[in-house]
Amino acid sequence: MLDDMLDYLEHIRERPVWQPMPDPVRASFRAPLPIAPADLSAVHQEFLENVLPYSNGNVHPGFMGWVHGGGNGPGMLAEMLAAGLNANLAGRDHAPIEVERQIVQWMRELFGFPKTASGLFVTGTSMANLIAVLVARDTALGFDARRLGIAATPKRLTAYASMAAHGSVRQALDFCGLGSDAVRLVPVDWQQQINLAVLRHLIEFDRKAGYTPFLLVGTAGTVDTGAIDDLDGLAEIASEQRLWLHVDGAYGALGILAPEIAPRLAGLEAADSLAFDFHKWGQVPYDAGFVLVRDGELHRRSFASPAAYLEREARGLGAGSTWPCDLGPDLSRGFRALKTWFTLKVYGLQALGQTIARTCELAAYLEQRVSESEELELLAPVSLNIVCFRFRCPDADRVNARIVMDLQEAGVCAPSTTRINGELAIRAAITNHRTGSADIDALIDATLTIGRALTPPVEDRELEASYGD
Ligand SMILES: Cc1ncc(COP(=O)(O)O)c(C=O)c1O
């Protein structure tokens, strides 16, 4: 199995990025309950035939969809070690908890948070955003809200995030009982950054209308275009208005490792909380989300739920409070910290920063290739590693959606789509450390080939238009 997976990583380029699953393969996952035992080698063979070839594809250098990291070999091996230990990181006194605490300490240092800041591994930034919003809510309402529920408060809390913020921010407000309408979506400027002047007006307007603004969410690397909000500006407004500042840095926050990007994250160190993923730009295998909260005590008070069976002791296995289960909704938790610890130690932060910078250089190269072609157009400024562009043609939304599906099915490269100002864009998020300029060329060449094949020649279109007359 180890050989298979090392070969998989070594020869990933020889495979299609992604391929559709044939019906018989899909049908193999509708099998009856496995009552009787089977040979390990037989199950392994089934994995090789039915699972491995039809995976998501984000290990492949041609994968450019959504924001998916490429993982790494040492991280993969660490997952095996973690599974072997089968440690439960709810709490208690053992070395795996210390590994997680080590990462918390490193992240405090990296992001300029104080020693009293708390941190926690979670599935991903969606969960990290939810945890941060819950701490902000309880801080605004008082911790009695946990017992009494939000219906007991006359306050109508409001939060502010840009229109380009990730959907998980609205979801977090929904899940914490305040309702997704409690998020005021602030317009963005041409660079897709939150408009601070409008933000100020909205806060003032809400206060006059009897609402209680409590939370400001800045984004470091928006999902559609990679824009970084003016975090310094947001920190100033949060401090003036006494609002909790949360930064959604799902992939962009780790840009702090690249000297070229770090200055653009100025203000991040003033945040009350930060959510980000090691599994995106950090290249740690899925999943490895993380939340950092400036005031660890507020964080603890939002989640700690004493129970007789979780009693803390002065010594023995029950020692060593605060436990991770005091900082989030999960009790049983796996050892996500180990693959992160291996990745950070084996590669070192400098090399990880260089990888991040390299993905941005590749995005700049893609931007250049798009601007050099009369058949292509750029739909948004390129801020970090995301390029939104499209093939120019009539019925462009439909044709470009087809181009993306055809690219994926051809197995050449796998961008995704989004909408920029209502127009469908081919969206390439270059996140994988294996991606190189040849992959960018392949994306451009295949886009042009498919786009041309889907679009009638200009003469035919003119002819069609004249018939129309
Ligand atoms: C800006 C932003 N926030 C939140 C998320 C959600 O992160 P996750 O998928 O790890 O939950 C993403 C995912 O791409 C994102 O780009």
Side-chain angles (χ1 to χ4, degrees), residues 67 124-126 129 166 168 219 221-223 248 250-251 277 279-280:
V67 192
T125 292
S126 304
N129 281 341
H166 193 261
S168 58
T219 305
T222 57
V223 61
D248 174 350
Y251 76 90
D277 289 323
H279 57 226
K280 292 189 163 84

Side-chain angles (χ1 to χ4, degrees), residues 103-120:
I103 310 266
V104 173
Q105 182 219 312
W106 285 342
M107 291 307 109
R108 281 186 201 120
E109 207 176 304
L110 184 65
F111 290 109
F113 274 46
K115 283 199 173 71
T116 44
S118 49
L120 186 75

